[in-house]
Amino acid sequence: MKKQYLLSMYQPQGPIPDAEFLAKVMAELGAIRSELQSTGDWVFGQGLHDPSTATVLRPKDGEVLVTDGPFTEGKEYLGGFTVIKAADLDAALAWGSRYARATGLPIEVRPFQGEVED
């Protein structure tokens, strides 16, 4: 049985890198995704819009307050994620390392609870 892992990509606040840099990163990410798909270990992944597009729902006193913007202020924000299947944490960390090298960004690897069918 394989476990599913969330690979979270954290981006720094600030300007977006130039198109030439982004094209190289996207090509490398595309190659990693193709390899994951060929092994059957790709589940889902996508980039996210800027944190200013976020809406936070916060329970308070029996009501749910709706606020614009990210949950917390910070210098980094969740910019995208990928869900993969891997035999174990070491295998998931190997994929996460490839994403980190390709993007130059921090990648958090976290297992989902439970196992999935191969």
Side-chain angles (χ1 to χ4, degrees):
M1 289 281 198
K2 293 186 176 182
K3 291 188 76 69
Q4 287 185 339
Y5 290 85
L6 176 67
L7 309 181
S8 302
M9 181 182 309
Y10 289 91
Q11 295 181 221
Q13 293 279 358
I16 296 173
D18 64 59
E20 184 178 332
F21 176 83
L22 285 178
K24 181 179 180 229
V25 168
M26 295 309 291
E28 290 181 43
L29 292 177
I32 295 169
R33 179 179 177 170
S34 292
E35 190 173 339
L36 276 164
Q37 288 173 322
S38 73
T39 64
D41 292 337
W42 170 263
V43 177
F44 177 78
Q46 192 66 40
L48 298 170
H49 285 285
D50 186 87
S52 66
T53 65
T55 303
V56 177
L57 305 172
R58 189 182 323 264
K60 183 176 181 179
D61 300 327
E63 300 289 325
V64 176
L65 304 176
V66 178
T67 58
D68 293 334
F71 183 69
T72 59
E73 294 295 323
K75 295 184 182 191
E76 293 180 334
Y77 61 91
L78 181 62
F81 64 92
T82 300
V83 178
I84 64 168
K85 292 185 286 185
D88 54 32
L89 179 59
D90 288 339
L93 291 173
W95 285 112
S97 294
R98 290 187 60 190
Y99 275 90
R101 281 192 299 275
T103 63
L105 298 173
I107 305 294
E108 177 185 332
V109 177
R110 187 183 300 188
F112 284 93
Q113 296 179 4
E115 295 179 344
V116 296
E117 294 295 321
D118 290 335

